[in-house]
Amino acid sequence: QVQLVESGGGLVQPGGSLRLSCTFSGRTSTMYAMSWFRQAPGKEREFVAGIRWAPSGRYYGDFVKGRFTISRDNAENTAYLQMDSLTPEDTAVYYCAANTRTYALHWASVASYDSWGQGTQVTVSS
């Protein structure tokens, strides 16, 4: 397992942008993938985007539709989620998750991840 710390959440108007960051520490030599999930009140946790640590590969939830971009900085042990064209439906707590156990994983399943961050609130409202 690794320790994950998210940052970058906040309040933004509809149509605006935010960039979330997730930095990991601890046993980093076996990092396979990092992903972002989100959870709105009364709803299940939902896969947003994922990225392989090496080699590259990016995956997105169906609802993203080109609005979000996941990236990583290996030297900084950090993954980013750039979110553009935000709508009120994007309001949720966003969680960073890491898979340090296996290269093969079901990206959208919470069971695929062995480490989670504490979450950061994103609120889209005018």
Side-chain angles (χ1 to χ4, degrees), residues 3 8 17 36 47 62-63 65 71-72 99 101-102 111 121 123:
Q3 292 74 49
S17 298
W36 290 94
F47 175 73
D62 291 340
F63 69 89
K65 297 180 180 178
S71 61
R72 71 183 192 283
N99 178 313
R101 295 179 299 196
T102 177
Q121 177 70 45
T123 302

PDB file of all heavy atoms in Angstrom, residues 3 8 17 36 47 62-63 65 71-72 99 101-102 111 121 123:
ATOM      1  N   GLN A   3       0.444   5.796   0.623  1.00  0.00           N
ATOM      2  CA  GLN A   3      -0.384   6.843   1.201  1.00  0.00           C
ATOM      3  C   GLN A   3      -0.679   7.869   0.108  1.00  0.00           C
ATOM      4  O   GLN A   3       0.220   8.259  -0.640  1.00  0.00           O
ATOM      5  CB  GLN A   3       0.341   7.521   2.369  1.00  0.00           C
ATOM      6  CG  GLN A   3       0.517   6.618   3.578  1.00  0.00           C
ATOM      7  CD  GLN A   3       1.591   5.568   3.367  1.00  0.00           C
ATOM      8  OE1 GLN A   3       2.700   5.857   2.936  1.00  0.00           O
ATOM      9  NE2 GLN A   3       1.255   4.303   3.657  1.00  0.00           N
ATOM     10  N   GLY A   8      -6.850  20.300  -4.442  1.00  0.00           N
ATOM     11  CA  GLY A   8      -7.331  20.984  -5.630  1.00  0.00           C
ATOM     12  C   GLY A   8      -8.832  21.125  -5.737  1.00  0.00           C
ATOM     13  O   GLY A   8      -9.326  21.763  -6.663  1.00  0.00           O
ATOM     14  N   SER A  17     -13.360  25.292 -14.598  1.00  0.00           N
ATOM     15  CA  SER A  17     -12.374  24.217 -14.573  1.00  0.00           C
ATOM     16  C   SER A  17     -11.743  24.091 -13.193  1.00  0.00           C
ATOM     17  O   SER A  17     -11.664  25.075 -12.438  1.00  0.00           O
ATOM     18  CB  SER A  17     -11.262  24.494 -15.596  1.00  0.00           C
ATOM     19  OG  SER A  17     -11.771  24.552 -16.912  1.00  0.00           O
ATOM     20  N   TRP A  36      -9.144   8.033 -10.436  1.00  0.00           N
ATOM     21  CA  TRP A  36     -10.036   8.945  -9.726  1.00  0.00           C
ATOM     22  C   TRP A  36     -11.447   8.382  -9.752  1.00  0.00           C
ATOM     23  O   TRP A  36     -11.926   7.930 -10.800  1.00  0.00           O
ATOM     24  CB  TRP A  36     -10.035  10.322 -10.375  1.00  0.00           C
ATOM     25  CG  TRP A  36      -8.753  11.078 -10.185  1.00  0.00           C
ATOM     26  CD1 TRP A  36      -7.689  11.119 -11.038  1.00  0.00           C
ATOM     27  CD2 TRP A  36      -8.399  11.908  -9.079  1.00  0.00           C
ATOM     28  NE1 TRP A  36      -6.697  11.920 -10.530  1.00  0.00           N
ATOM     29  CE2 TRP A  36      -7.111  12.420  -9.322  1.00  0.00           C
ATOM     30  CE3 TRP A  36      -9.046  12.276  -7.906  1.00  0.00           C
ATOM     31  CZ2 TRP A  36      -6.461  13.275  -8.435  1.00  0.00           C
ATOM     32  CZ3 TRP A  36      -8.400  13.132  -7.022  1.00  0.00           C
ATOM     33  CH2 TRP A  36      -7.122  13.612  -7.287  1.00  0.00           C
ATOM     34  N   PHE A  47     -16.430   5.471 -11.128  1.00  0.00           N
ATOM     35  CA  PHE A  47     -15.128   5.598 -11.788  1.00  0.00           C
ATOM     36  C   PHE A  47     -15.119   6.818 -12.693  1.00  0.00           C
ATOM     37  O   PHE A  47     -16.012   6.997 -13.533  1.00  0.00           O
ATOM     38  CB  PHE A  47     -14.833   4.344 -12.597  1.00  0.00           C
ATOM     39  CG  PHE A  47     -13.567   4.421 -13.414  1.00  0.00           C
ATOM     40  CD1 PHE A  47     -12.324   4.351 -12.821  1.00  0.00           C
ATOM     41  CD2 PHE A  47     -13.646   4.566 -14.796  1.00  0.00           C
ATOM     42  CE1 PHE A  47     -11.166   4.419 -13.583  1.00  0.00           C
ATOM     43  CE2 PHE A  47     -12.498   4.626 -15.565  1.00  0.00           C
ATOM     44  CZ  PHE A  47     -11.257   4.553 -14.956  1.00  0.00           C
ATOM     45  N   ASP A  62     -17.675   6.677 -18.905  1.00  0.00           N
ATOM     46  CA  ASP A  62     -18.463   7.041 -20.082  1.00  0.00           C
ATOM     47  C   ASP A  62     -18.982   8.480 -20.018  1.00  0.00           C
ATOM     48  O   ASP A  62     -19.122   9.142 -21.054  1.00  0.00           O
ATOM     49  CB  ASP A  62     -19.645   6.090 -20.236  1.00  0.00           C
ATOM     50  CG  ASP A  62     -19.197   4.682 -20.613  1.00  0.00           C
ATOM     51  OD1 ASP A  62     -18.064   4.536 -21.118  1.00  0.00           O
ATOM     52  OD2 ASP A  62     -19.982   3.735 -20.397  1.00  0.00           O
ATOM     53  N   PHE A  63     -19.244   8.965 -18.827  1.00  0.00           N
ATOM     54  CA  PHE A  63     -19.864  10.286 -18.708  1.00  0.00           C
ATOM     55  C   PHE A  63     -18.859  11.417 -18.958  1.00  0.00           C
ATOM     56  O   PHE A  63     -19.251  12.560 -19.148  1.00  0.00           O
ATOM     57  CB  PHE A  63     -20.451  10.458 -17.302  1.00  0.00           C
ATOM     58  CG  PHE A  63     -19.400  10.554 -16.228  1.00  0.00           C
ATOM     59  CD1 PHE A  63     -18.865  11.780 -15.872  1.00  0.00           C
ATOM     60  CD2 PHE A  63     -18.916   9.419 -15.595  1.00  0.00           C
ATOM     61  CE1 PHE A  63     -17.879  11.880 -14.897  1.00  0.00           C
ATOM     62  CE2 PHE A  63     -17.941   9.497 -14.635  1.00  0.00           C
ATOM     63  CZ  PHE A  63     -17.420  10.735 -14.283  1.00  0.00           C
ATOM     64  N   LYS A  65     -16.791  12.140 -21.505  1.00  0.00           N
ATOM     65  CA  LYS A  65     -17.040  12.698 -22.846  1.00  0.00           C
ATOM     66  C   LYS A  65     -16.052  13.799 -23.224  1.00  0.00           C
ATOM     67  O   LYS A  65     -16.443  14.869 -23.695  1.00  0.00           O
ATOM     68  CB  LYS A  65     -18.477  13.204 -22.941  1.00  0.00           C
ATOM     69  CG  LYS A  65     -19.492  12.091 -22.782  1.00  0.00           C
ATOM     70  CD  LYS A  65     -20.927  12.608 -22.885  1.00  0.00           C
ATOM     71  CE  LYS A  65     -21.922  11.469 -22.718  1.00  0.00           C
ATOM     72  NZ  LYS A  65     -23.318  11.924 -22.758  1.00  0.00           N
ATOM     73  N   SER A  71      -3.527  12.721 -16.054  1.00  0.00           N
ATOM     74  CA  SER A  71      -2.119  12.700 -16.422  1.00  0.00           C
ATOM     75  C   SER A  71      -1.307  12.348 -15.179  1.00  0.00           C
ATOM     76  O   SER A  71      -1.852  12.240 -14.080  1.00  0.00           O
ATOM     77  CB  SER A  71      -1.694  14.051 -16.993  1.00  0.00           C
ATOM     78  OG  SER A  71      -1.873  15.081 -16.028  1.00  0.00           O
ATOM     79  N   ARG A  72      -0.009  12.176 -15.374  1.00  0.00           N
ATOM     80  CA  ARG A  72       0.836  11.836 -14.230  1.00  0.00           C
ATOM     81  C   ARG A  72       2.205  12.460 -14.403  1.00  0.00           C
ATOM     82  O   ARG A  72       2.640  12.769 -15.516  1.00  0.00           O
ATOM     83  CB  ARG A  72       0.985  10.316 -14.103  1.00  0.00           C
ATOM     84  CG  ARG A  72       1.837   9.686 -15.193  1.00  0.00           C
ATOM     85  CD  ARG A  72       1.878   8.172 -15.048  1.00  0.00           C
ATOM     86  NE  ARG A  72       2.884   7.554 -15.886  1.00  0.00           N
ATOM     87  CZ  ARG A  72       2.790   7.341 -17.184  1.00  0.00           C
ATOM     88  NH1 ARG A  72       1.730   7.746 -17.817  1.00  0.00           N
ATOM     89  NH2 ARG A  72       3.763   6.753 -17.839  1.00  0.00           N
ATOM     90  N   ASN A  99      -3.500   1.208  -7.344  1.00  0.00           N
ATOM     91  CA  ASN A  99      -3.339  -0.241  -7.438  1.00  0.00           C
ATOM     92  C   ASN A  99      -1.856  -0.549  -7.419  1.00  0.00           C
ATOM     93  O   ASN A  99      -1.131  -0.170  -8.343  1.00  0.00           O
ATOM     94  CB  ASN A  99      -3.979  -0.751  -8.724  1.00  0.00           C
ATOM     95  CG  ASN A  99      -3.798  -2.245  -8.916  1.00  0.00           C
ATOM     96  OD1 ASN A  99      -2.701  -2.775  -8.752  1.00  0.00           O
ATOM     97  ND2 ASN A  99      -4.857  -2.932  -9.257  1.00  0.00           N
ATOM     98  N   ARG A 101      -0.818  -3.838  -6.711  1.00  0.00           N
ATOM     99  CA  ARG A 101      -0.746  -5.295  -6.603  1.00  0.00           C
ATOM    100  C   ARG A 101      -0.621  -6.009  -7.926  1.00  0.00           C
ATOM    101  O   ARG A 101       0.029  -7.057  -8.015  1.00  0.00           O
ATOM    102  CB  ARG A 101      -1.998  -5.806  -5.873  1.00  0.00           C
ATOM    103  CG  ARG A 101      -2.103  -5.362  -4.433  1.00  0.00           C
ATOM    104  CD  ARG A 101      -3.369  -5.879  -3.796  1.00  0.00           C
ATOM    105  NE  ARG A 101      -4.574  -5.380  -4.462  1.00  0.00           N
ATOM    106  CZ  ARG A 101      -5.783  -5.431  -3.920  1.00  0.00           C
ATOM    107  NH1 ARG A 101      -5.939  -5.935  -2.721  1.00  0.00           N
ATOM    108  NH2 ARG A 101      -6.830  -4.970  -4.582  1.00  0.00           N
ATOM    109  N   THR A 102      -1.272  -5.507  -8.976  1.00  0.00           N
ATOM    110  CA  THR A 102      -1.310  -6.263 -10.213  1.00  0.00           C
ATOM    111  C   THR A 102      -1.469  -5.351 -11.411  1.00  0.00           C
ATOM    112  O   THR A 102      -2.144  -4.319 -11.337  1.00  0.00           O
ATOM    113  CB  THR A 102      -2.468  -7.276 -10.184  1.00  0.00           C
ATOM    114  OG1 THR A 102      -2.524  -7.956 -11.442  1.00  0.00           O
ATOM    115  CG2 THR A 102      -3.800  -6.594  -9.940  1.00  0.00           C
ATOM    116  N   ALA A 111     -12.860  -2.526  -5.878  1.00  0.00           N
ATOM    117  CA  ALA A 111     -12.093  -3.643  -5.315  1.00  0.00           C
ATOM    118  C   ALA A 111     -10.724  -3.798  -5.974  1.00  0.00           C
ATOM    119  O   ALA A 111      -9.873  -4.532  -5.453  1.00  0.00           O
ATOM    120  CB  ALA A 111     -12.886  -4.929  -5.455  1.00  0.00           C
ATOM    121  N   GLN A 121     -13.572  17.689  -1.901  1.00  0.00           N
ATOM    122  CA  GLN A 121     -14.907  18.105  -2.335  1.00  0.00           C
ATOM    123  C   GLN A 121     -14.807  19.003  -3.559  1.00  0.00           C
ATOM    124  O   GLN A 121     -14.035  19.970  -3.580  1.00  0.00           O
ATOM    125  CB  GLN A 121     -15.623  18.853  -1.213  1.00  0.00           C
ATOM    126  CG  GLN A 121     -16.993  19.395  -1.594  1.00  0.00           C
ATOM    127  CD  GLN A 121     -18.031  18.304  -1.786  1.00  0.00           C
ATOM    128  OE1 GLN A 121     -18.129  17.384  -0.975  1.00  0.00           O
ATOM    129  NE2 GLN A 121     -18.806  18.396  -2.861  1.00  0.00           N
ATOM    130  N   THR A 123     -17.498  21.238  -5.803  1.00  0.00           N
ATOM    131  CA  THR A 123     -18.852  21.758  -5.867  1.00  0.00           C
ATOM    132  C   THR A 123     -18.960  22.694  -7.062  1.00  0.00           C
ATOM    133  O   THR A 123     -18.184  23.644  -7.187  1.00  0.00           O
ATOM    134  CB  THR A 123     -19.219  22.518  -4.590  1.00  0.00           C
ATOM    135  OG1 THR A 123     -19.079  21.646  -3.457  1.00  0.00           O
ATOM    136  CG2 THR A 123     -20.658  23.023  -4.649  1.00  0.00           C
TER     137      THR A 123
END
